[in-house]
Amino acid sequence: MAGQADPSPIITIERHILDEQAFHPEATGVLTNILYDLALAGKVIASKTTRAGLAEILGRTEDVNVQGETVLKLDRFADLTVTRLTDHTGRLAGLASEENADFLPIPAPYPMGKYLLVFDPLDGSSNVDFNMPVGTIFGIYKRKREGGPVTEEEFFQPGRNLAAAGYIAYGTSTMFVYTAGHGVHGFTLDPSVGEFLLSHPNIAMPAAKYFSVNLGYQRFWSRGVQRFTEYLQGREGGVQGLSLRYIGTLVSDFHRNLLAGGVFYYPADTKDPRTARGKLRLLYEAAPLAFVAEQAGGYASDGRGPILDVTPSSLHQRTPLFIGNKDLILKVEEFIRGLDG
Ligand code: P6P
């Protein structure tokens, strides 16, 4: 009927997170507020990434981070944005970022909270110079202890302990995707009102359409991973009809596979001693996305077992990562068990 109002409700991320809180009777609203803070950080970072070429924010700083990578101006901007929006609120006891060698305790005189934030402020940042999509990944843990100064080992928790996790994808639109243990929900930023609006409620990973891997490194993989790759390409009884899509930003490759169905993997390889255990980091990349994947009916493995069951022993520990449709990720575990011993 002409002029009939759209009956579907407009649900902002604030509204949705508050409704989510109902699932957690013990919730005090603190976790909710941390997610608000991260959504705001996403808006601020999006405002820079979508006009990086104009904002004099491209290019490199003089610094090299703990990964041995030159810190880009946008990395630093994203890291400071998340830190400055979360370190004084009394909700966190500490933050661990890809950009900093050590965790950041909450600076005096700010009050200490009961949660820990782990994050990669700008995943895929080297792609910004070429106008490719990038993202922010976050995970939120409860402290292991009540009160007192935070210690590094409080961050060494398996992903199974995550209270919430998600990412912000800065692409053709800006999306905030999160789970607090009751499904995965996606919000799209409406820049005209500056709000994230619910656009993808209860995301469930469909059957696989894509596989995402840097085939340029194929010769450096184990036999089991090479056999898995042949399987995905349809050889020797393998899967038929998968397309290869590889953006080179974990968040973007994961997000497409979450919505369209598929697997992403970055295996251990022999190309560089630094990637002998894989390139991606367990604490603030693999584990948060593994939580999202499992909540959407998928699965994430280090090639031997669930990523969510691995307890980190250092902040920047790397891990092989196989993530996406559960049937296919279980298949790579089978090939690795059978061929790599
Ligand atoms: P490669 C980006 O630098 C990143 O950390 C992830 O976002 C991405 O999945 C991976 O590295 C790409 O690595 O070796 O294929 O360029």
Side-chain angles (χ1 to χ4, degrees):
M1 181 186 303
Q4 184 170 9
D6 176 349
S8 58
I10 296 175
I11 300 180
T12 64
I13 193 165
E14 287 76 7
R15 173 75 267 150
H16 190 274
I17 296 174
L18 273 175
D19 294 347
E20 266 276 299
Q21 204 172 279
F23 286 110
H24 306 270
E26 81 290 352
T28 60
V30 174
L31 181 63
T32 298
N33 285 316
I34 297 170
L35 288 165
Y36 289 175
D37 297 338
L38 292 169
L40 178 55
K43 294 177 198 174
V44 174
I45 295 167
S47 74
K48 283 284 192 283
T49 52
T50 51
R51 54 188 182 84
L54 305 172
E56 278 313 298
I57 199 158
L58 284 180
R60 303 173 184 292
T61 67
E62 299 304 311
D63 306 330
V64 174
N65 68 14
V66 66
Q67 325 295 344
E69 297 159 347
T70 301
V71 177
L72 303 179
K73 289 179 185 173
L74 209 48
D75 285 322
R76 174 60 40 78
F77 173 80
D79 185 53
L80 288 176
T81 298
V82 174
T83 304
R84 288 174 173 160
L85 280 170
T86 57
D87 70 354
H88 60 287
T89 60
R91 298 166 183 150
L92 299 180
L95 304 86
S97 163
E98 186 214 25
E99 290 304 323
N100 302 303
D102 304 311
F103 76 89
L104 295 178
I106 297 305
Y110 301 135
M112 290 259 282
K114 61 182 182 181
Y115 288 95
L116 302 172
L117 175 65
V118 300
F119 65 106
D120 179 357
L122 206 67
D123 168 58
S125 52
S126 55
N127 284 320
V128 166
D129 295 2
F130 319 114
N131 197 22
M132 297 297 288
V134 291
T136 298
I137 308 171
F138 62 87
I140 303 166
Y141 288 95
K142 272 195 177 162
R143 282 195 77 174
K144 288 179 174 175
R145 290 209 296 260
E146 295 284 327
V150 175
T151 56
E152 191 179 59
E153 64 271 353
E154 287 194 69
F155 286 88
F156 301 158
Q157 301 187 43
R160 205 70 73 190
N161 289 9
L162 280 161
Y167 58 87
I168 305 154
Y170 311 104
T172 45
S173 62
T174 300
M175 276 197 70
F176 185 100
V177 177
Y178 89 100
T179 182
H182 294 276
V184 178
H185 312 286
F187 300 79
T188 301
L189 181 63
D190 179 340
S192 64
V193 294
E195 285 286 358
F196 280 107
L197 303 181
L198 183 64
S199 52
H200 298 71
N202 299 304
I203 298 173
M205 195 178 286
K209 276 184 70 174
Y210 300 107
F211 72 104
S212 309
V213 67
N214 187 334
L215 286 179
Y217 304 146
Q218 191 158 3
R219 63 190 184 285
F220 300 116
W221 298 335
S222 72
R223 182 68 204 111
V225 175
Q226 292 185 348
R227 177 69 191 90
F228 176 59
T229 304
E230 291 159 4
Y231 178 82
L232 294 178
Q233 292 168 321
R235 294 188 211 148
E236 296 173 50
V239 184
Q240 300 304 315
L242 293 186
S243 294
L244 174 66
R245 291 283 189 282
Y246 192 73
I247 296 172
T249 295
L250 169 60
V251 167
S252 310
D253 282 315
F254 174 77
H255 182 67
R256 182 203 48 251
N257 294 345
L258 177 72
L259 296 187
V263 294
F264 167 94
Y265 52 112
Y266 204 112
D269 65 39
T270 56
K271 75 178 181 304
D272 179 326
R274 289 178 304 171
T275 53
R277 289 280 311 135
K279 174 181 184 183
L280 301 172
R281 291 80 170 183
L282 174 61
L283 184 67
Y284 42 75
E285 290 178 326
L289 295 184
F291 186 27
V292 174
E294 288 209 5
Q295 282 288 312
Y299 174 50
S301 172
D302 61 3
R304 300 285 178 178
I307 284 279
L308 290 181
D309 292 342
V310 181
T311 300
S313 53
S314 67
L315 289 180
H316 304 289
Q317 174 174 333
R318 297 179 194 258
T319 179
L321 176 63
F322 304 82
I323 189 167
N325 293 84
K326 184 165 187 173
D327 57 329
L328 295 179
I329 303 303
L330 290 173
K331 197 71 184 167
V332 70
E333 289 184 346
E334 186 187 316
F335 283 127
I336 290 173
R337 255 193 319 275
L339 294 168
D340 299 352

